[in-house]
Amino acid sequence: MTIRRIIENDLSLRVEWMNHPNIYSSMHYDIPVVLENTVSWFKRNLENNNRLDVVFEEDGKIVAMGGLTGIDSLTNKAELYIFVNPFQQSKGIGTNATKLLCRYGFDNLSLKKIYLVTNESNVSAQKAYEKVGFKLEGKLRKETIVNNIIEDRFYYGIFPNELHD
């Protein structure tokens, strides 16, 4: 698996995936996602040094997308997000992409901590994060609504020495 920065040609696929219920049900943004708005988002963030948005490829095909947001140069931490092609989930792609993005953040951006927040019901993501080495640091009680049910969100973090290779 390889990692590279997202480019404008990737945006239509990003929109397609973000409008799929397997993706939007566990992430927090308004649907439908529209290409025009996504292109504007992309152009606004070209010069944003506080985020890195990437795609992950296998055999020349994009299999996942993700990034590091809120990159804080004082505390050297950032928030991770990942989403896998909705038609290729549960194949280890998310685990590998998460590991690759963490390694990139630690090695290339000098991050000292990467964190994320995930829904209580997103058990498969929790297992993937824990497999990579993320530790549960806390629970945000009754934090979000998923399928009309109020649920908790879990806060995970990882330090460079905790990353499982």
Side-chain angles (χ1 to χ4, degrees), residues 9 35 44 58 76 131 148 154:
N9 287 344
L35 182 58
R44 262 193 329 272
E58 285 183 346
N76 292 318
K131 188 184 274 187
N148 295 318
F154 295 148

Side-chain angles (χ1 to χ4, degrees), residues 76-141:
N76 292 318
K77 70 177 183 176
E79 182 174 6
L80 179 139
Y81 77 92
I82 293 276
F83 55 95
V84 174
N85 177 338
F87 305 103
Q88 290 189 292
Q89 295 179 341
S90 301
K91 295 181 178 181
I93 295 169
T95 301
N96 291 335
T98 300
K99 198 179 298 185
L100 191 58
L101 185 53
C102 287
R103 177 60 49 217
Y104 185 91
F106 292 140
D107 292 349
N108 298 88
L109 303 178
S110 301
L111 295 176
K112 303 296 182 218
K113 179 179 184 176
I114 297 174
Y115 68 95
L116 61 91
V117 183
T118 189
N119 296 342
E120 177 182 30
S121 61
N122 197 353
V123 176
S124 60
Q126 293 163 33
K127 287 179 182 177
Y129 299 137
E130 290 168 4
K131 188 184 274 187
V132 168
F134 277 87
K135 307 285 187 261
L136 179 63
E137 295 187 5
K139 178 166 65 169
L140 305 169
R141 299 178 303 154

Side-chain angles (χ1 to χ4, degrees), residues 133-152:
F134 277 87
K135 307 285 187 261
L136 179 63
E137 295 187 5
K139 178 166 65 169
L140 305 169
R141 299 178 303 154
K142 299 190 184 305
E143 185 73 11
T144 193
I145 297 175
V146 178
N147 297 324
N148 295 318
I149 298 170
I150 296 176
E151 70 174 64
D152 299 338

